[in-house]
Amino acid sequence: MRKLAWAARGTAAVAGALLAGALVTPSALASDDPTPKDTQAAAADESKRCSVSRDVSSTVVDYSGAGGLFETVFRAATDRQGHAFLNDSRNPGVWINLGLLAGAPQCVSGTAVSVTEEDPGHLYITLLASNGVIRQAVCTTASGTPFTPANLPAACGAGFAPLAYTPVL
């Protein structure tokens, strides 16, 4: 009986120490570039196990001085497999896979879009990857040219870049 009581006290002490350490440790920060060394194997692995809830966000140009961009709505959405898509209301029914852009995360769990109100202006597309890293692309908007799969890569230049020191939850 004494041996059992001693073991129980020892186990409780170890569990308490681990809990205290977990509470005191600061939250981890994601690396600037979370791309693993073996990118192809990791991407294939992640695409098999990526399953997230759907997400949608939108923004609208509400400045009448923006010419043909006035009342243009930009929407971003994800599917359950973590793919992100963009819709430009000037091109109804067309959803562009954001995986076309360089640096796009493989498994997206959240989206945000915002736009500057000029012609040409800038569309900011922000994606939250399932690993906690936030990546952002800045795309040039023009009143006469709705986004399509053909012109989006040129409009977004370098594509997605990770925001430094994104906190991982």
Side-chain angles (χ1 to χ4, degrees):
M1 189 71 161
R2 286 183 185 207
K3 288 182 183 180
L4 186 56
W6 178 81
R9 281 195 304 263
T11 303
V14 170
L18 287 173
L19 179 60
L23 293 175
V24 173
T25 305
S27 63
L29 296 177
S31 164
D32 239 2
D33 185 6
T35 307
K37 301 287 184 228
D38 187 4
T39 310
Q40 291 177 344
D45 224 17
E46 189 161 323
S47 67
K48 289 179 186 175
R49 65 178 176 203
C50 180
S51 177
V52 295
S53 61
R54 298 197 61 197
D55 183 66
V56 66
S57 59
S58 64
T59 188
V60 64
V61 178
D62 65 354
Y63 173 61
S64 61
L69 286 172
F70 181 60
E71 293 186 340
T72 298
V73 180
F74 296 102
R75 297 173 187 90
T78 61
D79 64 12
R80 288 188 183 9
Q81 288 77 42
H83 304 114
F85 300 90
L86 177 71
N87 171 257
D88 179 338
S89 67
R90 299 172 295 172
N91 197 357
V94 176
W95 286 87
I96 305 164
N97 185 345
L98 291 173
L100 294 171
L101 300 178
Q106 296 292 318
C107 186
V108 178
S109 61
T111 65
V113 287
S114 62
V115 65
T116 60
E117 299 179 334
E118 298 175 15
D119 185 10
H122 293 100
L123 173 66
Y124 293 83
I125 306 169
T126 307
L127 302 178
L128 173 63
S130 64
N131 65 356
V133 175
I134 297 173
R135 292 181 173 263
Q136 186 175 62
V138 181
C139 309
T140 302
T141 60
S143 63
T145 311
F147 290 129
T148 66
N151 68 14
L152 187 66
C156 298
F160 287 94
L163 295 179
Y165 308 111
T166 303
V168 176
L169 303 175

